[in-house]
Amino acid sequence: MSGDHTQQTKDLLAGALTGRAADDAAQHIETCETCQAIVAEAEPLPLKPARHAAPAALRARVTAMLDDEARTVVPLPKKRQGFWLGAASGAVGTALAAALAFLLILPPAADTFADSVIDAHTAALMNGHEIGVVSSSHHTVKPWFAGRIALSPPVADFTDAGFKLTGGRMDHIGDIQAAVVVYRHGAHTIDLFVWTDRGQRLPGASVRHGYHAQFWKSGDLDFAAVSDTEAAELQKFIALVKAERE
């Protein structure tokens, strides 16, 4: 049976198990040192940074800069036009590519940041990749983040209060890499996103399509809690997290 459980653990990490099969595998891992070792050594699934549209005003400024560059080109004698035209074309293409890349990697503004976090939460649920390490023990989940991200997210089990630690994963919000500590509250999943503070203004409480997102700062870390549970229940969870860091 140990071989079967080992394969089930690998299938769970690969996102190949769902429903009751996933629950059974996760429950087994909590009491099996062999399978816990497999989980601890597992690499997180690669995640592509989300792309966000730059503000219209910024796009206009970049376009204007490129237009100005084009207007300042000095005419050259015909004999030298061939070489320099090719060089200029390459320079313009490089500048354009750099400008477009800059627009695509911009971190989302405060007014779209909540949407980005909710999108990351729902995408993980829909893809079955909401958990990279499965465990209700902070002794397993917290070390799993070490070496994967340059921060130490708070990891605590609040089962007695109705919020059970189920694991963690790595995720992205725009170009921001975040650690995500995953909890279960009844039939609801709660994602606790944690990332290094960049001095960015965070949005207020947001709700979209039934998903609530709330943000706050603590020390040198930024936090976001996302779930489709009731807003009041999410507030209770946030209060527990904040109290844990005091």
Side-chain angles (χ1 to χ4, degrees), residues 73-94:
V73 175
V74 179
L76 296 172
K78 285 188 176 181
K79 290 183 180 180
R80 301 180 64 187
Q81 280 183 359
F83 169 78
W84 287 107
L85 182 60
S89 298
V92 171
T94 300

PDB file of all heavy atoms in Angstrom, residues 73-94:
ATOM      1  N   VAL A  73      15.240  62.145 -36.662  1.00  0.00           N
ATOM      2  CA  VAL A  73      16.196  61.465 -37.537  1.00  0.00           C
ATOM      3  C   VAL A  73      16.720  62.446 -38.574  1.00  0.00           C
ATOM      4  O   VAL A  73      15.953  63.134 -39.257  1.00  0.00           O
ATOM      5  CB  VAL A  73      15.531  60.261 -38.241  1.00  0.00           C
ATOM      6  CG1 VAL A  73      16.489  59.641 -39.244  1.00  0.00           C
ATOM      7  CG2 VAL A  73      15.120  59.241 -37.195  1.00  0.00           C
ATOM      8  N   VAL A  74      18.036  62.561 -38.720  1.00  0.00           N
ATOM      9  CA  VAL A  74      18.670  63.481 -39.673  1.00  0.00           C
ATOM     10  C   VAL A  74      18.889  62.772 -40.999  1.00  0.00           C
ATOM     11  O   VAL A  74      19.444  61.671 -41.024  1.00  0.00           O
ATOM     12  CB  VAL A  74      20.027  63.979 -39.123  1.00  0.00           C
ATOM     13  CG1 VAL A  74      20.703  64.918 -40.119  1.00  0.00           C
ATOM     14  CG2 VAL A  74      19.809  64.674 -37.783  1.00  0.00           C
ATOM     15  N   PRO A  75      18.450  63.395 -42.156  1.00  0.00           N
ATOM     16  CA  PRO A  75      18.640  62.768 -43.457  1.00  0.00           C
ATOM     17  C   PRO A  75      20.119  62.529 -43.744  1.00  0.00           C
ATOM     18  O   PRO A  75      20.973  63.355 -43.407  1.00  0.00           O
ATOM     19  CB  PRO A  75      18.038  63.788 -44.428  1.00  0.00           C
ATOM     20  CG  PRO A  75      17.110  64.604 -43.598  1.00  0.00           C
ATOM     21  CD  PRO A  75      17.731  64.687 -42.260  1.00  0.00           C
ATOM     22  N   LEU A  76      20.472  61.418 -44.350  1.00  0.00           N
ATOM     23  CA  LEU A  76      21.844  61.064 -44.667  1.00  0.00           C
ATOM     24  C   LEU A  76      22.020  60.964 -46.174  1.00  0.00           C
ATOM     25  O   LEU A  76      21.044  60.752 -46.914  1.00  0.00           O
ATOM     26  CB  LEU A  76      22.199  59.711 -44.036  1.00  0.00           C
ATOM     27  CG  LEU A  76      22.174  59.663 -42.500  1.00  0.00           C
ATOM     28  CD1 LEU A  76      22.341  58.214 -42.051  1.00  0.00           C
ATOM     29  CD2 LEU A  76      23.274  60.531 -41.924  1.00  0.00           C
ATOM     30  N   PRO A  77      23.267  61.111 -46.660  1.00  0.00           N
ATOM     31  CA  PRO A  77      23.514  60.907 -48.090  1.00  0.00           C
ATOM     32  C   PRO A  77      23.071  59.517 -48.510  1.00  0.00           C
ATOM     33  O   PRO A  77      23.133  58.567 -47.726  1.00  0.00           O
ATOM     34  CB  PRO A  77      25.040  61.067 -48.196  1.00  0.00           C
ATOM     35  CG  PRO A  77      25.413  61.903 -47.008  1.00  0.00           C
ATOM     36  CD  PRO A  77      24.461  61.504 -45.922  1.00  0.00           C
ATOM     37  N   LYS A  78      22.637  59.417 -49.768  1.00  0.00           N
ATOM     38  CA  LYS A  78      22.081  58.144 -50.243  1.00  0.00           C
ATOM     39  C   LYS A  78      23.048  56.983 -50.072  1.00  0.00           C
ATOM     40  O   LYS A  78      22.651  55.868 -49.784  1.00  0.00           O
ATOM     41  CB  LYS A  78      21.686  58.269 -51.709  1.00  0.00           C
ATOM     42  CG  LYS A  78      20.398  59.066 -51.907  1.00  0.00           C
ATOM     43  CD  LYS A  78      19.949  58.982 -53.353  1.00  0.00           C
ATOM     44  CE  LYS A  78      18.605  59.697 -53.533  1.00  0.00           C
ATOM     45  NZ  LYS A  78      18.137  59.620 -54.937  1.00  0.00           N
ATOM     46  N   LYS A  79      24.355  57.239 -50.268  1.00  0.00           N
ATOM     47  CA  LYS A  79      25.319  56.147 -50.196  1.00  0.00           C
ATOM     48  C   LYS A  79      25.377  55.529 -48.796  1.00  0.00           C
ATOM     49  O   LYS A  79      25.756  54.391 -48.628  1.00  0.00           O
ATOM     50  CB  LYS A  79      26.713  56.645 -50.568  1.00  0.00           C
ATOM     51  CG  LYS A  79      26.840  56.988 -52.056  1.00  0.00           C
ATOM     52  CD  LYS A  79      28.262  57.405 -52.382  1.00  0.00           C
ATOM     53  CE  LYS A  79      28.405  57.738 -53.862  1.00  0.00           C
ATOM     54  NZ  LYS A  79      29.790  58.145 -54.211  1.00  0.00           N
ATOM     55  N   ARG A  80      25.035  56.357 -47.790  1.00  0.00           N
ATOM     56  CA  ARG A  80      25.137  55.849 -46.423  1.00  0.00           C
ATOM     57  C   ARG A  80      23.776  55.477 -45.849  1.00  0.00           C
ATOM     58  O   ARG A  80      23.681  54.976 -44.744  1.00  0.00           O
ATOM     59  CB  ARG A  80      25.793  56.901 -45.534  1.00  0.00           C
ATOM     60  CG  ARG A  80      27.186  57.281 -46.012  1.00  0.00           C
ATOM     61  CD  ARG A  80      27.795  58.333 -45.108  1.00  0.00           C
ATOM     62  NE  ARG A  80      28.001  57.814 -43.766  1.00  0.00           N
ATOM     63  CZ  ARG A  80      28.398  58.579 -42.745  1.00  0.00           C
ATOM     64  NH1 ARG A  80      28.608  59.864 -42.905  1.00  0.00           N
ATOM     65  NH2 ARG A  80      28.566  58.040 -41.539  1.00  0.00           N
ATOM     66  N   GLN A  81      22.720  55.755 -46.636  1.00  0.00           N
ATOM     67  CA  GLN A  81      21.384  55.492 -46.125  1.00  0.00           C
ATOM     68  C   GLN A  81      21.128  54.011 -45.879  1.00  0.00           C
ATOM     69  O   GLN A  81      20.477  53.638 -44.918  1.00  0.00           O
ATOM     70  CB  GLN A  81      20.329  56.036 -47.091  1.00  0.00           C
ATOM     71  CG  GLN A  81      20.110  57.527 -46.956  1.00  0.00           C
ATOM     72  CD  GLN A  81      19.011  58.021 -47.870  1.00  0.00           C
ATOM     73  OE1 GLN A  81      18.422  57.233 -48.619  1.00  0.00           O
ATOM     74  NE2 GLN A  81      18.745  59.313 -47.827  1.00  0.00           N
ATOM     75  N   GLY A  82      21.656  53.155 -46.766  1.00  0.00           N
ATOM     76  CA  GLY A  82      21.382  51.729 -46.628  1.00  0.00           C
ATOM     77  C   GLY A  82      21.826  51.181 -45.294  1.00  0.00           C
ATOM     78  O   GLY A  82      21.057  50.559 -44.572  1.00  0.00           O
ATOM     79  N   PHE A  83      23.091  51.491 -44.930  1.00  0.00           N
ATOM     80  CA  PHE A  83      23.622  50.980 -43.660  1.00  0.00           C
ATOM     81  C   PHE A  83      22.886  51.574 -42.470  1.00  0.00           C
ATOM     82  O   PHE A  83      22.445  50.867 -41.571  1.00  0.00           O
ATOM     83  CB  PHE A  83      25.119  51.308 -43.558  1.00  0.00           C
ATOM     84  CG  PHE A  83      25.695  51.063 -42.188  1.00  0.00           C
ATOM     85  CD1 PHE A  83      26.004  49.775 -41.787  1.00  0.00           C
ATOM     86  CD2 PHE A  83      25.879  52.110 -41.296  1.00  0.00           C
ATOM     87  CE1 PHE A  83      26.524  49.546 -40.529  1.00  0.00           C
ATOM     88  CE2 PHE A  83      26.393  51.885 -40.031  1.00  0.00           C
ATOM     89  CZ  PHE A  83      26.717  50.597 -39.655  1.00  0.00           C
ATOM     90  N   TRP A  84      22.753  52.909 -42.478  1.00  0.00           N
ATOM     91  CA  TRP A  84      22.166  53.576 -41.328  1.00  0.00           C
ATOM     92  C   TRP A  84      20.670  53.335 -41.216  1.00  0.00           C
ATOM     93  O   TRP A  84      20.112  53.337 -40.116  1.00  0.00           O
ATOM     94  CB  TRP A  84      22.453  55.082 -41.371  1.00  0.00           C
ATOM     95  CG  TRP A  84      23.893  55.371 -41.058  1.00  0.00           C
ATOM     96  CD1 TRP A  84      24.874  55.765 -41.909  1.00  0.00           C
ATOM     97  CD2 TRP A  84      24.503  55.235 -39.780  1.00  0.00           C
ATOM     98  NE1 TRP A  84      26.062  55.897 -41.265  1.00  0.00           N
ATOM     99  CE2 TRP A  84      25.876  55.577 -39.937  1.00  0.00           C
ATOM    100  CE3 TRP A  84      24.044  54.862 -38.511  1.00  0.00           C
ATOM    101  CZ2 TRP A  84      26.778  55.563 -38.894  1.00  0.00           C
ATOM    102  CZ3 TRP A  84      24.940  54.847 -37.475  1.00  0.00           C
ATOM    103  CH2 TRP A  84      26.299  55.189 -37.658  1.00  0.00           C
ATOM    104  N   LEU A  85      20.015  53.114 -42.375  1.00  0.00           N
ATOM    105  CA  LEU A  85      18.589  52.813 -42.310  1.00  0.00           C
ATOM    106  C   LEU A  85      18.366  51.490 -41.599  1.00  0.00           C
ATOM    107  O   LEU A  85      17.471  51.343 -40.761  1.00  0.00           O
ATOM    108  CB  LEU A  85      17.996  52.767 -43.726  1.00  0.00           C
ATOM    109  CG  LEU A  85      16.484  52.499 -43.808  1.00  0.00           C
ATOM    110  CD1 LEU A  85      15.733  53.608 -43.053  1.00  0.00           C
ATOM    111  CD2 LEU A  85      16.021  52.434 -45.247  1.00  0.00           C
ATOM    112  N   GLY A  86      19.233  50.526 -41.897  1.00  0.00           N
ATOM    113  CA  GLY A  86      19.117  49.243 -41.212  1.00  0.00           C
ATOM    114  C   GLY A  86      19.397  49.367 -39.732  1.00  0.00           C
ATOM    115  O   GLY A  86      18.691  48.807 -38.892  1.00  0.00           O
ATOM    116  N   ALA A  87      20.425  50.162 -39.394  1.00  0.00           N
ATOM    117  CA  ALA A  87      20.755  50.353 -37.985  1.00  0.00           C
ATOM    118  C   ALA A  87      19.643  51.076 -37.257  1.00  0.00           C
ATOM    119  O   ALA A  87      19.284  50.728 -36.128  1.00  0.00           O
ATOM    120  CB  ALA A  87      22.061  51.143 -37.863  1.00  0.00           C
ATOM    121  N   ALA A  88      19.097  52.116 -37.922  1.00  0.00           N
ATOM    122  CA  ALA A  88      18.018  52.881 -37.292  1.00  0.00           C
ATOM    123  C   ALA A  88      16.790  52.015 -37.093  1.00  0.00           C
ATOM    124  O   ALA A  88      16.118  52.093 -36.067  1.00  0.00           O
ATOM    125  CB  ALA A  88      17.671  54.109 -38.141  1.00  0.00           C
ATOM    126  N   SER A  89      16.492  51.179 -38.094  1.00  0.00           N
ATOM    127  CA  SER A  89      15.330  50.302 -37.978  1.00  0.00           C
ATOM    128  C   SER A  89      15.490  49.366 -36.786  1.00  0.00           C
ATOM    129  O   SER A  89      14.553  49.133 -36.024  1.00  0.00           O
ATOM    130  CB  SER A  89      15.142  49.490 -39.264  1.00  0.00           C
ATOM    131  OG  SER A  89      14.900  50.358 -40.356  1.00  0.00           O
ATOM    132  N   GLY A  90      16.713  48.840 -36.634  1.00  0.00           N
ATOM    133  CA  GLY A  90      16.951  47.956 -35.502  1.00  0.00           C
ATOM    134  C   GLY A  90      16.816  48.680 -34.180  1.00  0.00           C
ATOM    135  O   GLY A  90      16.262  48.156 -33.221  1.00  0.00           O
ATOM    136  N   ALA A  91      17.312  49.937 -34.129  1.00  0.00           N
ATOM    137  CA  ALA A  91      17.228  50.708 -32.887  1.00  0.00           C
ATOM    138  C   ALA A  91      15.790  51.023 -32.533  1.00  0.00           C
ATOM    139  O   ALA A  91      15.379  50.920 -31.377  1.00  0.00           O
ATOM    140  CB  ALA A  91      18.026  52.008 -33.041  1.00  0.00           C
ATOM    141  N   VAL A  92      15.002  51.430 -33.563  1.00  0.00           N
ATOM    142  CA  VAL A  92      13.593  51.735 -33.310  1.00  0.00           C
ATOM    143  C   VAL A  92      12.857  50.491 -32.857  1.00  0.00           C
ATOM    144  O   VAL A  92      12.043  50.525 -31.931  1.00  0.00           O
ATOM    145  CB  VAL A  92      12.935  52.332 -34.575  1.00  0.00           C
ATOM    146  CG1 VAL A  92      11.432  52.445 -34.367  1.00  0.00           C
ATOM    147  CG2 VAL A  92      13.524  53.701 -34.864  1.00  0.00           C
ATOM    148  N   GLY A  93      13.146  49.358 -33.511  1.00  0.00           N
ATOM    149  CA  GLY A  93      12.487  48.114 -33.117  1.00  0.00           C
ATOM    150  C   GLY A  93      12.825  47.725 -31.700  1.00  0.00           C
ATOM    151  O   GLY A  93      11.964  47.296 -30.934  1.00  0.00           O
ATOM    152  N   THR A  94      14.125  47.911 -31.338  1.00  0.00           N
ATOM    153  CA  THR A  94      14.536  47.588 -29.976  1.00  0.00           C
ATOM    154  C   THR A  94      13.850  48.498 -28.965  1.00  0.00           C
ATOM    155  O   THR A  94      13.383  48.055 -27.916  1.00  0.00           O
ATOM    156  CB  THR A  94      16.063  47.730 -29.836  1.00  0.00           C
ATOM    157  OG1 THR A  94      16.697  46.839 -30.755  1.00  0.00           O
ATOM    158  CG2 THR A  94      16.517  47.396 -28.415  1.00  0.00           C
TER     159      THR A  94
END
